[in-house]
Amino acid sequence: MADRKGSEAGPARHSHSVPAAASFPTHNSPRTWFLTSALSPLSIRLIRLLLAHGDYVVACLPPQEIEHDERSAEFRELINECKSSRKDREGWKDRIRGIRCDGRVMGQCGAAVAEAVQVFGRIDILLCCKFEAVIGTVEELGATPATRNLVRDQFETIFFSQVNFIKAALPQLRAQHTGHIIILTSIGGHIGTPGMSIYTAATWALEGFCDSLAYEIAPFNIKVTIVQPNKEIQSLTNKIIFAPQMPFYDSEINPAPSMRDILANVLNVNPETAIEQSEDQIQYRYPRLPSATLDKLVMETVHALTAIGGHENPPARHIVGFEGSIAVREKLKTITEELEDFVEASLAVDIFDSELKAEAREGRSTIEAARSGSLSGGAGHST
């Protein structure tokens, strides 16, 4: 394996099998995947599938995570598998390259891309998958200099680090005149969540950046896809940072749904990750879930990534799972209904009459008529 000093594997503790067969796009030769962060349980399972499929993998290892023994343990197990003499792992060590890289430093991103091209010749799929979640209300995150720093750190992690990787990879993808950039976010790109305002803001910023980017690089045959699993999938497989809680936002007083309570309940199952009650301490945790639970949690997203990555005509957005799709559909339905309800206010600012303006008014009339008919029909049925 082409793995840099500092990311050597420790002793293997478990024998992992390759996950169930995934659907890969048809292609004539193996593809090179570049993962901007390779230490999450989701990334580990994806890498196993890619290597079993015959693809090449560049695995970026954030220094602060690879040096965390618990966080890096599963990746080290994977590297031991790659080095083993197991017949079903034959050739794996030659098709994976681990690179220490802090995405917040542009120079390191450029060096990682250059190394990937030097070793494997090209980059076919850039998977932006760095994540962590800051938990705290807007007021809690503005309470002290330390919590205000969490806001900047959240944008550095989710937005700027991934933008750095994209900017570093674009010259290579453009020169190849082919490539696929996949952004792994969550349905937080559509739906805000109480207690996760800064995470949501950073996610929307990254998705807005990529929406514009997609138009700019389409002439170079470079595709962009945003993949959105449920928030819990990303939150429970990466670092969670809890800002100190203000008493006003305690769930017993404030009826708003509390992601703090939901995530804390999961962490409290394990005494080593339990959250302490604190009004002045920032707490950092990596969830520790059983392997079988992690498989169930992430494999649907892993299979979605393998099915989409390198596809000839990939979607601009893909929502993973029925539950997430329904939630986003309801949000979009609400937006559409509000747009129609206030279409006259929108049209009132137009200076010139136009066919589009007439069509908008006509569309509103049709919707109102449909609503009226539905209501009258329902009333008639009840009598």
Side-chain angles (χ1 to χ4, degrees):
M1 186 200 87
D3 189 25
R4 273 192 160 182
K5 182 180 179 182
S7 57
E8 281 298 314
R13 297 182 296 174
H14 304 288
S15 178
H16 294 277
S17 60
V18 176
S23 172
F24 285 83
T26 302
H27 54 77
N28 297 324
S29 60
R31 293 184 174 174
T32 299
W33 291 65
F34 186 109
L35 277 62
T36 63
S37 183
L39 296 176
S40 75
L42 190 154
S43 294
I44 300 295
R45 284 154 180 77
L46 174 62
I47 291 170
R48 277 200 180 89
L49 275 179
L50 297 177
L51 293 175
H53 183 246
D55 285 346
Y56 296 87
V57 177
V58 177
C60 286
L61 312 172
Q64 66 274 23
E65 292 189 49
I66 194 65
E67 292 164 7
H68 188 287
D69 290 341
E70 287 292 335
R71 178 62 166 174
S72 62
E74 197 172 13
F75 180 80
R76 296 178 191 277
E77 290 179 39
L78 171 62
I79 299 311
N80 271 342
E81 287 181 47
C82 294
K83 293 178 176 179
S84 73
S85 58
R86 289 174 55 177
K87 191 173 180 64
D88 60 348
R89 300 295 188 264
E90 188 175 349
W92 282 26
K93 65 183 177 62
D94 300 319
R95 289 188 280 107
I96 182 170
R97 179 80 165 194
I99 303 175
R100 278 176 169 257
C101 181
D102 188 340
R104 297 170 299 181
V105 181
M106 184 66 199
Q108 293 189 26
C109 295
V113 168
E115 185 171 341
V117 175
Q118 181 183 22
V119 174
F120 295 133
R122 60 189 292 112
I123 295 172
D124 297 295
I125 301 153
L126 172 65
L127 175 59
C128 296
C129 52
K130 176 64 176 169
F131 181 90
E132 65 184 35
V134 172
I135 307 300
T137 64
V138 170
E139 194 172 0
E140 289 165 348
L141 291 173
T144 67
T147 56
R148 288 193 288 273
N149 283 339
L150 292 179
V151 175
R152 181 168 55 248
D153 292 345
Q154 182 81 111
F155 270 83
E156 288 285 353
T157 299
I158 290 181
F159 180 73
F160 288 109
S161 71
Q162 302 313 284
V163 168
N164 285 344
F165 276 114
I166 291 170
K167 290 193 292 187
L170 279 179
Q172 174 63 29
L173 300 178
R174 181 167 43 76
Q176 295 171 182
H177 203 74
T178 185
H180 190 185
I181 299 172
I182 302 179
I183 315 296
L184 182 62
T185 58
S186 77
I187 61 171
H190 280 288
I191 304 169
T193 301
M196 295 183 76
S197 57
I198 300 305
Y199 155 75
T200 303
T203 301
W204 286 24
L206 181 59
E207 292 198 4
F209 171 88
C210 290
D211 277 347
S212 296
L213 172 72
Y215 291 104
E216 296 173 359
I217 61 180
F220 307 113
N221 195 35
I222 305 172
K223 314 288 197 309
V224 178
T225 298
I226 295 169
V227 176
Q228 299 173 316
N230 278 330
K231 293 187 190 76
E232 292 82 355
I233 292 173
Q234 290 279 60
S235 299
L236 293 175
T237 56
N238 291 282
K239 183 193 290 184
I240 308 175
I241 304 163
F242 293 87
Q245 185 173 27
M246 290 180 167
F248 322 106
Y249 295 101
D250 187 281
S251 56
E252 294 182 3
I253 300 173
N254 193 315
S258 174
M259 279 300 291
R260 181 187 292 271
D261 288 348
I262 292 170
L263 296 174
N265 288 339
V266 175
L267 293 169
N268 290 343
V269 171
N270 187 327
E272 295 183 18
T273 60
I275 296 297
E276 304 164 5
Q277 293 295 329
S278 175
E279 294 184 7
D280 59 4
Q281 183 181 4
I282 298 172
Q283 300 183 67
Y284 303 81
R285 296 289 187 274
Y286 284 109
R288 298 183 192 175
L289 303 178
S291 183
T293 302
L294 287 171
D295 290 343
K296 187 174 182 180
L297 186 67
V298 307
M299 285 313 298
E300 191 174 24
T301 304
V302 168
H303 289 162
L305 291 170
T306 59
I308 291 170
H311 198 284
E312 187 175 320
N313 187 28
R317 265 183 174 75
H318 177 74
I319 300 167
V320 182
F322 176 78
E323 196 174 312
S325 298
I326 293 299
V328 172
R329 184 185 299 172
E330 288 300 315
K331 171 66 181 292
L332 296 177
K333 180 181 176 183
T334 300
I335 292 173
T336 302
E337 289 176 350
E338 289 183 347
L339 178 65
E340 296 297 341
D341 286 342
F342 290 90
V343 68
E344 286 295 341
S346 299
L347 297 176
V349 301
D350 287 346
I351 300 174
F352 303 106
D353 286 327
S354 68
E355 292 183 11
L356 289 176
K357 190 171 180 179
E359 287 178 10
R361 284 203 170 96
E362 184 179 343
R364 174 174 171 77
S365 300
T366 302
I367 290 173
E368 287 177 342
R371 286 180 180 173
S372 177
S374 175
L375 290 172
S376 63
H381 182 72
S382 64
T383 57

